[in-house]
Amino acid sequence: MTKLSFFLGCIAPNRYPGIEISTKKVMEKLDVELEDLEGASCCPAPGVFRSFDKTTWLSMASRNVTLSEEMGNDLLTVCNGCFGSLVDANLLLKEDDALREDVNKMLSEVGHEFKGTQDVRHIIEYLFQEVGVEKVKNAVINPLDLKVAVHYGCHLVKPSKERHLGSAENPTFFDELVEATGATSVDYEDKMACCGAGGGARTAVLETTLHMATNKLDHMVAAGVDCVVNACPFCHLQLDVGQTEIKKTFGKEYGMPVLHYSQLLGLAMGFTPEELGIDLNFVENSKFIERIRGGAK
Amino acid sequence: MSDAIKTSSLSPEFRKEIFEEPGTEKITMCFNCTGCSSGCPMTELEPEFNIRKFLRMANLGMKDELLNNPYLWYCTTCYKCQERCPQGVPNVDALLKIRTIAVQNGVMLPAHKKVGQLVVKSGHAVPINDDTKEKRKALGLDEVPPTVHRFPDALSEVKKLLHIAGFDKIVAEEEEKK
Ligand code: SF4
Ligand code: SF4
C-alpha cells in the first residue's frame, strides 16, 4: 500500500473538517495509506507570506516538507494554496544550493534538515496521475446523477511551468475525475476564473473579492448546475462563506452547495452526506442532501 | 491627467532590489502589449489596479509611488497574467517581490498584520475555534487536529523559526517594537 503524509494546513482542519475526514475515507478505499503529518503548521499561505518576507515563507514551508521527509513519505495536500506554497518551496530548495544552505542553517536551530528527498502532491493531480481515473471509477458504488461546476482554482495548475499538468487555460484532468463519479461536468462561462480569495486579497479587500465570487456563482447558476466541486478549502470557503457575505453585502442569495472533490467522491463511494460533513457548510444544503439521499437508495 | 515623471525622484536602487528576485529582470523586456492587464480579473473590477502599469513603474524605479500604492495589495496571485505574457515576464513573482520591499519599508495593511500575528501566536493563519471543534467531534475526529495545535513542541519550533527570520518583529504592533 502506498503511504503518504497527510498535510492538513489551516482551513480544512480548522474550518471544514468534512474535507479532512472525506479525504481519509476515500484514500483508504483507493488503497492509499495516509499518515498524519504531526506537528505541521500553516503552509504558510503563499500569497500573504511570500508578500511579507521570503525567508519566513521558506523557513516555515521547508519545515513542513522536512517533517514529511523524516517520515519517508511524499506529502499530500488537499489545498491549492498549500500546494503552491510547498511545491514551490520544495523545488526552489532542491535546485538552489545556496538557498538550501541558508534555510538549513535556520532549520538546524530547531533540529531539522531539508534534504530534498520527497515530493509534494495535490490530491487531484495525485489521483489522476498515480491512482488513475479507472481505479477511481471502479471504486464508485453509487454513481451520482449530478450536474457539477468544476472549479479548478488557480494554484493547482499555475504557474504551469512548475506544475507540468498540461494546459492551464483549458485543462481536463479534474473534469475526468469528477465524471468518474457518474456526475456530469458542465461547462460554464469563464470556468478557469479565480474565486478571489488568494494573494491576501480576501483579507485586504473582501468586498472586491466577493464581486469575483459573484461572477463565478452567476456563471454557474446560468449553466444550471446542482453544485460546485473544488480542489481547495480556501476556494471552498470563498465560495461557501462568501455566499453568506454576498447575501449580507449585496442582498443576493444563491443557496449553491459547495463540495470539495473528496466529498463528491465520498458520496459516490457510498458514504452519507453527514459522514462527509457536507451538511457542515455555512450555506444551508438540506435540499441537496435530500436529493442525494433520494438517489442513494 | 497625471503629472510628468521627474527623473530625480526615480530610484535605480529600488529597481536593482527588485531584480534580486531571479527572473524579474525580464521586466525590461516588456513591450507593453497589455496581455497581462487585459485578462486580469482584478483590473476588470478595479481599473486602478494594473499589473502592466505597476511593472512599468518598477522598471522606471518609481519606488514611493509603488510602495505606497494601496492597489499593490489587490492582486489575488491567480497567475493568469504570468501565463499569458509573451515575453516571459514573471509578473506575479515581481509583484510579490515589490510587496516584500514595501513590508521592509514598514508598509503593511492592518488586516494582514493580524494574520501574521495569528501565525506567530498559533502557527496557523486560520486557527481552530469552538464552532469547528464541535464539527470535528460530530464527524468523529479529534477535537484538536494533529498539527501544531496539538503538539506544543512543534509550535515552539515554528515560533523559533519565525523569531530567527525576524517575522515576529515585522508583524509586531508599534508599541511592542520599542
Ligand atoms: S504581457 Fe508581458 S509584455 Fe505584455 S504588457 Fe504584460 S508584461 Fe509586458
Ligand atoms: S495574478 Fe494578479 S495581476 Fe495577474 S491576472 Fe491575477 S489578479 Fe491580475
Side-chain angles (χ1 to χ4, degrees):
Chain A
M1 203 147 142
T2 328
K3 254 200 254 168
L4 294 171
S5 302
F6 188 15
F7 175 81
L8 294 174
C10 294
I11 298 176
N14 299 338
R15 289 297 178 275
Y16 290 102
I19 298 174
E20 177 180 335
I21 192 109
S22 302
T23 302
K24 290 187 169 174
K25 287 184 188 302
V26 301
M27 291 312 249
E28 195 188 335
K29 291 251 184 228
L30 294 169
D31 307 319
V32 181
E33 190 181 336
L34 296 186
E35 292 186 322
D36 287 336
L37 192 60
E38 291 187 344
S41 65
C42 178
C43 54
V48 185
F49 287 84
R50 276 177 89 170
S51 302
F52 291 174
D53 185 56
K54 194 172 175 181
T55 319
T56 304
W57 164 58
L58 273 177
S59 66
M60 271 183 86
S62 63
R63 176 180 170 277
N64 286 325
V65 175
T66 303
L67 296 178
S68 196
E69 288 183 355
E70 288 162 10
M71 294 166 77
N73 298 334
D74 286 344
L75 177 154
L76 182 80
T77 168
V78 293
C79 172
N80 287 1
C82 300
F83 187 55
S85 190
L86 298 174
V87 157
D88 288 353
N90 200 32
L91 281 180
L92 211 57
L93 292 176
K94 278 186 186 183
E95 281 164 10
D96 189 330
D97 297 344
L99 204 56
R100 188 172 59 243
E101 222 169 273
D102 285 350
V103 163
N104 270 335
K105 251 183 231 142
M106 294 177 72
L107 286 175
S108 71
E109 298 278 330
V110 293
H112 299 291
E113 186 192 354
F114 178 89
K115 297 201 172 82
T117 50
Q118 304 297 342
D119 291 327
V120 172
R121 308 300 303 255
H122 184 290
I123 184 167
I124 302 298
E125 60 84 21
Y126 183 84
L127 288 178
F128 186 77
Q129 302 191 97
E130 309 300 336
V131 176
V133 175
E134 272 316 302
K135 182 155 184 187
V136 172
K137 229 183 241 170
N138 291 337
V140 169
I141 57 164
N142 174 35
L144 303 171
D145 177 22
L146 287 174
K147 281 191 259 169
V148 168
V150 177
H151 174 67
Y152 279 79
C154 301
H155 301 127
L156 174 59
V157 286
K158 296 178 281 186
S160 59
K161 209 168 52 165
E162 275 100 46
R163 298 288 184 272
H164 311 292
L165 286 163
S167 161
E169 299 232 345
N170 206 2
T172 56
F173 60 96
F174 192 5
D175 303 88
E176 289 177 44
L177 284 169
V178 164
E179 300 216 320
T181 68
T184 309
S185 165
V186 178
D187 201 14
Y188 60 98
E189 193 180 333
D190 224 355
K191 179 173 164 183
M192 293 310 292
C194 171
C195 68
R202 186 182 148 84
T203 305
V205 284
L206 175 65
E207 203 174 313
T208 312
T209 72
L210 290 179
H211 280 293
M212 272 196 208
T214 307
N215 285 344
K216 282 228 76 142
L217 288 161
D218 282 343
H219 293 148
M220 290 169 182
V221 169
V225 300
D226 300 311
C227 62
V228 43
V229 172
N230 61 68
C232 170
F234 200 25
C235 301
H236 191 102
L237 183 141
Q238 172 79 348
L239 294 172
D240 178 48
V241 172
Q243 285 184 61
T244 65
E245 293 160 340
I246 288 167
K247 189 175 161 196
K248 250 188 265 154
T249 322
F250 313 131
K252 223 173 174 179
E253 210 170 339
Y254 292 96
M256 176 72 78
V258 180
L259 278 73
H260 187 270
Y261 181 70
S262 56
Q263 295 174 307
L264 183 84
L265 183 55
L267 287 176
M269 287 176 167
F271 295 105
T272 67
E274 290 77 12
E275 284 174 312
L276 304 165
I278 293 171
D279 56 330
L280 300 178
N281 270 1
F282 290 79
V283 170
E284 217 262 320
N285 275 343
S286 56
K287 262 204 204 126
F288 176 79
I289 289 170
E290 258 163 52
R291 186 174 156 186
I292 296 286
R293 268 215 210 85
K297 288 160 279 216
Chain B
M1 289 293 274
S2 48
D3 297 330
I5 300 165
K6 292 196 186 71
T7 44
S8 59
S9 71
L10 301 178
S11 163
E13 295 77 32
F14 175 56
R15 192 169 174 264
K16 237 190 251 155
E17 204 180 340
I18 296 170
F19 291 176
E20 280 168 12
E21 177 65 32
T24 52
E25 70 288 344
K26 284 198 174 160
I27 292 175
T28 55
M29 287 160 68
C30 167
F31 52 27
N32 239 343
C33 70
T34 73
C36 51
S37 48
S38 64
C40 170
M42 191 46 91
T43 303
E44 202 179 311
L45 293 167
E46 293 283 353
E48 284 295 312
F49 170 76
N50 186 316
I51 187 75
R52 180 192 57 81
K53 190 168 141 197
F54 282 10
L55 297 192
R56 197 140 181 95
M57 287 163 80
N59 192 24
L60 286 168
M62 295 170 73
K63 181 176 181 179
D64 294 340
E65 289 87 341
L66 256 182
L67 297 194
N68 295 305
N69 191 319
Y71 290 97
L72 189 59
W73 303 95
Y74 276 55
C75 168
T76 69
T77 69
C78 78
Y79 284 94
K80 194 171 173 189
C81 50
Q82 189 158 321
E83 289 292 320
R84 286 186 160 192
C85 176
Q87 290 294 83
V89 175
N91 309 57
V92 182
D93 301 349
L95 186 91
L96 291 179
K97 177 68 182 179
I98 295 166
R99 282 182 176 180
T100 62
I101 300 173
V103 168
Q104 277 161 27
N105 283 270
V107 181
M108 190 186 267
L109 298 179
H112 281 158
K113 196 174 259 190
K114 285 230 168 68
V115 176
Q117 288 165 354
L118 286 175
V119 171
V120 168
K121 213 174 129 207
S122 71
H124 282 291
V126 182
I128 190 90
N129 57 19
D130 289 342
D131 178 44
T132 314
K133 281 187 186 168
E134 287 304 314
K135 290 180 176 173
R136 294 186 64 86
K137 255 203 292 195
L139 289 166
L141 288 165
D142 282 325
E143 244 177 75
V144 177
T147 62
V148 281
H149 272 337
R150 196 186 298 168
F151 300 99
D153 290 350
L155 180 58
S156 305
E157 286 182 19
V158 171
K159 286 187 173 179
K160 192 164 180 192
L161 281 178
L162 291 174
H163 181 67
I164 299 169
F167 188 72
D168 47 358
K169 278 216 193 74
I170 294 177
V171 295
E173 297 298 341
E174 286 313 312
E175 321 74 85
E176 294 167 27
K177 281 188 191 167
K178 279 164 202 158

